[in-house]
Amino acid sequence: MGRRREASGGPVAGAASRLRFAPSSDNLIVSSWDSGLRLYDADTSELRLEATAEEALLDCCFQDEAVALTAGSDGSIRRYDLHSGAQGIVGMHDEVISCIEFSQTTGQVVAATLDKKLMFWCTQTRNACPDSVITLDSDVASLSVCGMYILAAVEREIYMYDMRNLTGSVKAKYTPVEYHIRSLHSSPEWNGYAAGSVDGAVAVNYFDQGTDGDMGYVFRCHPKSRDGRSSLVPINSTTIHPCEKTFVTGDNEGWAIAWDAQSKKKLREFPIYPGSVASIAYNHNGQLFAVASNCTKGDKMVEEHQIFFEMSAGSPRRSASQPLANLPPPSSVGFGRREMSDSEDHHFESKADAGASKTFPQQAGTIRKNGFIVIKNRPCKVVEVSTSKTGKHGHAKCHFVGIDIFNGKKLEDIVPSSHNCDAPHVNRTDYQLIDISEDGFVSLLTESGGTKDDLKLPSEEPLLTQIKEGFAEGKDLIVTVMSAMGEEQICALKDIGPKN
């Protein structure tokens, strides 16, 4: 089964954001929130180089064996010469860069920013590529290069673009899971990808639906906790074996699990790591597997990370694995996925049995102004966010100022940037106003033709007055109802004219 080794030097200050192996060697780079980029020789577990920047580093990747690239919280793409340690700026963005990838095929750097943009840079000219900006509906949580294509995880969806034709439309779009995708890794050999979500579901999909006679499937890594309830553990990282049909998931509770994608077997649970698994990666031949584990030390919330190496992680004893449950016929929903059932005793269940959650975890450093966050168990809209960092090896902290979306109260919280916060699922639904009762309750017409009679008029002016006056004048009114964490409230009004 191999053995576990820890990188020399023990725990390192700051939370790790990403680790990557070099294209053809066992060199490993690790970026962190304390502004450090570190180069390790995975064969000896030794630290070879440490370079620092002014900004927190949210991602990193190799351009080639001697050059690394990082994504900065100040919007910078930095280039590091791993022989000399020299560094320079490749490009600047107006917003925080959350993800970065380099395409060996096209020679492009792809950066995703927290203003919902994808931008492509040429490493030779260090200029943005022509027609290089793609604006999306939401922020990108994860990127993955697959040959000529770039895959972007945006909320529940995965977009696929041809990097040779950036002016063209999205080549493909998949909606594989119910909640936001946290991690994504694609494979040209598979002609597909594995994606992990914030609620612990994993989707495996193939671009060619004839691959292995399968059209993809969804399963849950930890469907049941010890008390028998659904266990919603975010999948922070996924990585695909470069030579085999296996992949590994790493979650927020410190577990890394190897899976057989083709025969649909759980191959191995690695011994639990000391903190959350922030990032995982295979080396170029799949004989070595690296893990970055983040933990918090002491009452002062001092963050640190450790790097571990597992030998022969892709080739566990297959005889010990158990087959997954038989799969039902392909579904006509979404991209034709098929789901694993919960009839086996090794932590699988149907996605449909997982139940809905009122919140989902989101990394604090990715929550921006006008986003949503839970503060003191209340759903809030973020009206102000600032990031501070203390000392050379301090850890970045986010200071959030939020307004309760239901009662308007101001709430504040401070969270380490790399930690998860609860974010509420906020929905808005339009209804036609039918009647207003004497005690202030409203009757609303639903899409199915029924009525909704459990809401009262809002208390805030001038919305209350606008609704009352419009109804008294006989106008057709559409009210917008906002719901989050089990509460509902009328929040907006549309006047569509006088009644016929």
Side-chain angles (χ1 to χ4, degrees):
M1 294 285 284
R3 63 185 181 86
R4 175 174 295 182
R5 293 182 285 118
E6 184 179 338
S8 62
V12 179
S17 56
R18 188 66 175 266
L19 57 75
R20 304 264 194 146
F21 272 107
S24 58
S25 73
D26 290 341
N27 288 329
L28 180 85
I29 54 173
V30 182
S31 58
S32 66
W33 287 83
D34 74 332
S35 308
L37 179 73
R38 297 171 177 87
L39 172 69
Y40 292 92
D41 182 342
D43 290 329
T44 62
S45 303
E46 293 183 1
L47 178 65
R48 296 295 190 188
L49 175 71
E50 182 174 1
T52 58
E54 293 298 323
E55 69 280 0
L57 303 182
L58 278 64
D59 201 356
C60 65
C61 66
F62 277 93
Q63 179 177 326
D64 55 41
E65 289 290 329
V67 175
L69 302 165
T70 60
S73 60
D74 64 346
S76 66
I77 301 174
R78 287 185 181 268
R79 180 185 186 275
Y80 295 78
D81 185 317
L82 299 177
H83 292 311
S84 65
Q87 57 180 282
I89 301 293
V90 173
M92 288 293 299
H93 292 257
D94 295 331
E95 254 290 359
V96 176
I97 302 176
S98 58
C99 314
I100 190 171
E101 286 283 345
F102 179 75
S103 170
Q104 300 285 344
T105 305
T106 65
Q108 293 169 296
V109 182
V110 187
T113 59
L114 294 186
D115 56 357
K116 306 176 184 179
K117 289 184 175 65
L118 279 181
M119 184 171 284
F120 298 76
W121 296 83
C122 177
T123 54
Q124 293 182 344
T125 63
R126 299 194 184 186
N127 291 321
C129 300
D131 302 313
S132 62
V133 179
I134 296 174
T135 301
L136 300 164
D137 296 331
S138 189
D139 296 331
V140 175
S142 186
L143 288 172
S144 183
V145 170
C146 189
M148 293 291 188
Y149 302 101
I150 181 72
L151 279 69
V154 182
E155 295 186 345
R156 298 170 51 239
E157 299 175 328
I158 293 175
Y159 295 83
M160 185 176 178
Y161 295 95
D162 188 336
M163 288 186 285
R164 298 165 296 181
N165 181 22
L166 298 177
T167 59
S169 60
V170 60
K171 179 175 177 59
K173 179 179 175 181
Y174 307 91
T175 306
V177 291
E178 289 186 347
Y179 294 111
H180 290 197
I181 297 167
R182 170 69 64 83
S183 59
L184 170 67
H185 194 205
S186 61
S187 167
E189 289 75 21
W190 282 25
N191 197 25
Y193 65 80
S197 76
V198 298
D199 72 329
V202 177
V204 176
N205 193 46
Y206 304 102
F207 307 135
D208 176 9
Q209 293 190 348
T211 300
D212 297 331
D214 200 348
M215 293 194 297
Y217 51 89
V218 177
F219 68 95
R220 187 178 296 285
C221 286
H222 302 285
K224 299 295 183 183
S225 58
R226 291 181 179 179
D227 60 4
R229 297 181 180 179
S230 296
S231 182
L232 307 181
V233 182
I235 306 300
N236 293 331
S237 187
T238 55
T239 185
I240 294 174
H241 194 284
C243 309
E244 301 180 5
K245 278 289 188 72
T246 63
F247 65 99
V248 180
T249 57
D251 68 34
N252 208 52
E253 291 188 349
W255 292 104
I257 305 175
W259 313 90
D260 188 314
Q262 189 169 14
S263 59
K264 301 179 181 68
K265 295 178 181 178
K266 179 179 180 179
L267 296 175
R268 178 184 178 188
E269 269 191 8
F270 293 90
I272 193 168
Y273 294 94
S276 66
V277 175
S279 184
I280 54 180
Y282 278 112
N283 70 339
H284 63 100
N285 59 18
Q287 296 302 308
L288 194 60
F289 176 70
V291 175
S293 175
N294 288 340
C295 59
T296 303
K297 181 180 179 182
D299 297 334
K300 296 182 179 180
M301 294 196 301
V302 176
E303 296 174 278
E304 59 185 22
H305 70 266
Q306 291 176 268
I307 305 300
F308 298 92
F309 300 104
E310 304 278 0
M311 303 299 294
S312 302
S315 303
R317 293 195 302 250
R318 293 173 183 258
S319 59
S321 63
Q322 298 295 325
L324 301 185
N326 293 329
L327 297 177
S331 167
S332 60
V333 180
F335 60 84
R337 59 179 174 262
R338 294 192 280 177
E339 301 174 2
M340 299 180 180
S341 83
D342 59 354
S343 60
E344 296 294 332
D345 59 359
H346 56 281
H347 297 73
F348 280 89
E349 71 170 11
S350 166
K351 177 168 64 67
D353 295 334
S357 175
K358 295 178 181 179
T359 64
F360 63 92
Q362 184 173 353
Q363 194 174 51
T366 67
I367 299 176
R368 318 307 296 168
K369 185 178 179 180
N370 296 323
F372 295 98
I373 189 175
V374 177
I375 302 178
K376 297 180 181 178
N377 295 318
R378 297 295 304 169
C380 299
K381 184 174 183 179
V382 177
V383 295
E384 184 180 339
V385 57
S386 59
T387 303
S388 62
K389 194 173 70 171
T390 58
K392 181 179 179 182
H393 296 291
H395 52 285
K397 290 185 178 180
C398 293
H399 177 206
F400 295 103
V401 178
I403 300 297
D404 190 308
I405 62 176
F406 292 119
N407 61 34
K409 291 184 178 179
K410 180 180 177 181
L411 298 171
E412 298 186 48
D413 197 8
I414 297 177
V415 185
S417 301
S418 62
H419 283 205
N420 284 333
C421 298
D422 284 333
H425 289 288
V426 179
N427 297 305
R428 295 173 182 266
T429 307
D430 288 342
Y431 300 95
Q432 184 173 354
L433 178 63
I434 300 175
D435 193 18
I436 300 176
S437 65
E438 293 183 358
D439 55 2
F441 280 90
V442 295
S443 182
L444 307 175
L445 180 65
T446 66
E447 284 189 355
S448 62
T451 61
K452 180 178 176 63
D453 305 298
D454 57 347
L455 287 178
K456 297 191 71 172
L457 288 167
S459 57
E460 294 79 10
E461 296 286 356
L463 182 59
L464 173 62
T465 299
Q466 291 173 351
I467 294 174
K468 285 184 174 181
E469 290 180 351
F471 183 76
E473 293 171 5
K475 294 181 178 180
D476 269 340
L477 302 177
I478 301 296
V479 297
T480 299
V481 175
M482 180 167 54
S483 61
M485 298 178 66
E487 294 185 50
E488 291 183 307
Q489 183 174 288
I490 296 173
C491 64
L493 174 68
K494 297 176 185 177
D495 181 356
I496 58 176
K499 292 182 179 180
N500 294 329

